[in-house]
């Protein structure tokens, strides 16, 4: 049984973020993998899981979610072998510090050497980042600027939008993946959903063609009309 | 033309004349409904035009994520004849000044965009502000819903507003926005959407919801000093009244409860008010029946998760279900919200996916195990005769109003 835990959707779930769990569960089941999706809400214990998902949220709920993760032993759960996929505010929480409620700095979970300050403007719009030669498309809506420690690998190179700083997006460690593409980013990027599932299960997954592939190509096309150097097929360059 | 009773400055008179010329020309050229362009010109000439036009009138403002247009229509209908307002739904100041230029009466109902409430309260000094609900909607434009609640709260403080607030007591974010105001009339209604209010707007801890009450351990809780309560009937002004609306859905009963409370507050007779509201059958084409080829199509507008979820119980059992989704500026450019809509309740039906973002919709339905077809060319749907319930978001609704014809 593959257990996927959505962490505090009552605090971090602003932009349809629950969609990521829905996508992972459906794609795993389509390949015969038994999946259990469990929402952990305020006051519940964080159970052991193969994969933890973190969504986006506003300042106050983001701060409370961070406190609950620290107090609830989230770092221990990850060190026991759990994988993490985080978007937007979830990305910021995983770092050492982030900004909330004005420019106040708040202590993060500290799972990754990354820190976020408030940027001069809010970045709202279509977003694309090149992840090891493959396009990831989505939408961003945040005001953060995230810097990475010397030994932290970014998730991708920004093609459209801001991501961490206009140059790179998110971060990636062997078991932690984070991006500023908010909401159900895995819905628009079936390859990324499958890559996560493969990493978590340790299995190669058979292709599962669906309308999501057509959506991916359409969204890559929409991005490439804004940036001529993007591979129009949305595939590897 | 401006109301005869208003004394306007020379600059305001110039602004009104320019507004009327631009809007008349705009309508003559067939470019839109002829409200916003002239309004912008008028406000450029006289930035205080809204304030000048609202002076000496009794103004009711209606705001909230869902139900603004319908509740405003109920208020106009329920208040009697010659009630002015922005009937086209242009709900920012450019639309407001255009509406006030074309209505002469002393009574005005203005549907107001959530983000513009503070500016419109300041300009119009309303007698009543109706706060319907607050939930996630077009987050690319409005950013975050709790910030919106704070902005409402700031503009309704005794220092900035002395009128009456009619507020939905079941919605914690609305209560947070209204509780600091001087004259608040709380209305209890059934609340279906709680996803944006699970964490307390005061302390961020969890709000506990019971069947008929909510509270947080910090002391923030649902107001109990109600002036009206909606259950099977509307209890108000010492009586109980069945609503028996022609418009479908529980959400419209909630809208009617808040509209009736506002009008009772203004001294109207509740039975008279409800009698008038019951005669509303369609609002700006919404809920109305249209023709598309051989089809009878019922159009429902759904712009966000709470609004869409509320519509599902008013889908006709025997009809086909078509859903049309766009993501233009007016819709919000990010269709992530589709993942907050409980489409799973439509399992067992086969959904036709339409609109510019039909692939996003079809992918959402795929992952929700709801059968669907992606319709690239809507013409193929014209020939069959099965009736249709069409759920569309803002610009997709507009497209389908143009594509269909009156019955």
């Amino acid at each position: 049984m593959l257990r996927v835990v959505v962490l505090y959707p009552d605090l971090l779930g602003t932009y349809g973020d629950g969609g990521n769990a829905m996508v992972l569960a459906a794609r795993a089941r389509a390949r015969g993998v038994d999946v259990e999706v469990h929402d952990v809400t305020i006051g519940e214990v964080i159970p052991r899981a193969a994969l933890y998902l973190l969504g986006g949220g506003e300042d106050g709920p983001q701060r409370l979610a961070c406190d609950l993760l620290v107090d609830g032993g989230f770092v221990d759960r990850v060190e026991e072998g759990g994988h993490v996929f985080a978007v937007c505010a979830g990305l910021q929480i995983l770092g050492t510090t982030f900004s909330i409620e004005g420019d106040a700095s708040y202590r993060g979970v500290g799972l990754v050497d990354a820190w976020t300050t408030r940027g001069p403007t809010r970045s709202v719009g279509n977003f694309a980042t090149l992840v090891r030669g493959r396009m990831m498309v989505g939408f961003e809506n945040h005001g953060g600027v995230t810097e990475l420690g010397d030994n932290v690998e970014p998730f991708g190179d920004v093609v459209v939008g801001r991501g961490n700083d206009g140059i790179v997006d998110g971060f990636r460690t062997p078991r932690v993946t984070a991006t500023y593409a908010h909401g159900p980013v895995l819905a628009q990027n079936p390859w990324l959903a499958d890559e996560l599932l493969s990493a978590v299960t340790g299995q190669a997954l058979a292709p599962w063609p669906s309308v999501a592939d057509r959506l991916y190509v359409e969204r890559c096309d929409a991005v490439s009309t804004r940036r001529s150097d993007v591979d129009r097929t949305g595939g590897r360059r | 033309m401006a109301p005869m009773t208003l004394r306007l400055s020379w600059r305001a008179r110039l602004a009104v004349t320019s507004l009327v010329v631009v809007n008349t020309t705009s309508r003559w050229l067939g470019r839109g409904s002829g409200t916003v362009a002239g309004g912008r010109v008028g406000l450029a000439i006289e930035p205080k035009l809204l304030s000048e036009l609202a002076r000496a009138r009794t103004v009711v403002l209606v705001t909230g994520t869902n139900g603004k247009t319908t509740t405003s229509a109920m208020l106009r209908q329920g208040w009697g004849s010659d009630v002015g307002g922005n009937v086209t739904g242009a709900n920012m100041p450019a639309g407001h000044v255009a509406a006030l230029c074309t209505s002469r009466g002393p009574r005005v109902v203005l549907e107001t965009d959530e983000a513009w409430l503070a500016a419109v309260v300041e300009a119009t000094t309303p007698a009543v502000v109706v706060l319907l609900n607050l939930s996630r909607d077009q987050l690319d434009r409005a950013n975050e819903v709790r910030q919106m609640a704070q902005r409402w709260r700031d503009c309704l403080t005794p220092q900035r507003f002395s009128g009456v607030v009619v507020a939905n007591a079941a919605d914690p974010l609305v209560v947070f926005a209204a509780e600091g105001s001087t004259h608040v009339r709380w209305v209890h209604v059934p609340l279906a959407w709680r996803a944006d209010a699970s964490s307390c707007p005061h302390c961020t801890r969890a709000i506990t919801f019971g069947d008929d009450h909510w509270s947080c351990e910090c002391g923030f809780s649902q107001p109990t000093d109600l002036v009206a309560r909606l259950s099977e009937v509307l209890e108000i002004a010492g009586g109980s009244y069945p609503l028996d609306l022609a418009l479908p859905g529980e959400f419209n009963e909630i809208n009617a409860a808040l509209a009736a409370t506002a009008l009772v507050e203004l001294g109207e007779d509740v039975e008279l008010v409800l009698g008038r509201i019951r005669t509303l059958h369609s609002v700006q084409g919404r809920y109305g029946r249209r023709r598309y080829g051989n089809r009878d199509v019922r159009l429902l507008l759904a712009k966000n998760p709470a609004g869409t979820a509320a519509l599902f119980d008013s889908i006709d059992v025997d009809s086909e279900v078509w859903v049309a989704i766009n993501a233009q500026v007016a819709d919000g450019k990010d269709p992530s919200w589709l993942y907050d809509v409980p489409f799973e309740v439509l399992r067992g039906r086969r959904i036709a996916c339409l609109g510019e973002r039909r692939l996003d919709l079809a992918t959402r339905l795929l992952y929700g195990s709801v059968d669907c077809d992606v319709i690239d060319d809507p013409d193929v749907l014209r020939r069959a005769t099965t009736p249709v319930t069409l759920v569309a978001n803002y610009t997709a609704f507009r497209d389908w109003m143009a594509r269909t014809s009156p019955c």
Side-chain angles (χ1 to χ4, degrees), chain B residues 4 31 38 47-48 98 122 148 210 231 235 271 296-297 301 310 330 333 338 366 383 391 399:
Chain B
M4 301 287 287
R31 301 180 70 171
K48 292 181 178 171
E122 187 182 354
M148 191 68 76
S231 51
E235 297 166 41
E271 289 200 59
D296 179 26
V297 181
L301 177 70
K333 298 190 79 169
L338 293 173
L366 165 78
R383 281 183 291 279
V391 178
D399 294 346

Side-chain angles (χ1 to χ4, degrees), chain B residues 8-24:
Chain B
L8 299 177
S9 65
W10 68 268
R11 187 188 283 270
R13 286 199 301 274
L14 176 64
V16 168
T17 305
S18 307
L19 183 157
V20 170
V21 168
V22 170
N23 278 350
T24 305

Side-chain angles (χ1 to χ4, degrees), chain A residues 10-11 13-17 19 22-23 26-27 42 57-61 63-64 122 124 126 139 141 182-184 186-188 190 208 210-212 214-215 218-219, chain B residues 136 139-141 143-148 195-196 198-199 203-207 333-337 339-340 344 356-360 362-364 366-368 374 376:
Chain A
D10 41 351
L11 297 169
T14 315
Y15 298 97
D17 299 321
M22 200 185 292
V23 170
R27 299 189 72 85
I42 302 170
E58 299 181 57
D59 285 0
R63 174 166 48 81
L64 178 59
R122 200 169 176 89
V124 183
N126 286 318
F139 200 93
N141 186 351
H182 74 208
L186 298 181
Q188 290 195 10
W208 186 55
S210 75
V211 70
R214 207 180 139 195
L215 172 66
E218 182 202 79
R219 299 322 304 159
Chain B
R136 60 190 70 186
L139 291 166
D140 59 319
R141 190 165 68 85
N143 294 331
E144 292 166 344
V145 66
R146 295 159 69 99
Q147 287 178 13
M148 191 68 76
D196 295 297
S198 50
S199 136
C203 73
T204 71
R205 279 176 284 195
I207 289 181
K333 298 190 79 169
D334 173 23
S336 294
W337 62 276
Y339 286 81
D340 288 323
E344 287 72 12
E356 295 159 3
R357 300 303 289 265
R358 56 191 177 278
L359 293 178
D360 294 81
T363 300
R364 164 67 185 91
L366 165 78
Y367 290 130
V374 177
D376 295 323

Side-chain angles (χ1 to χ4, degrees), chain A residues 168-183:
Chain A
V168 297
D169 171 49
F171 44 76
R172 179 171 211 151
T173 75
R175 289 204 311 276
V176 179
T177 303
T179 172
Y180 264 112
H182 74 208

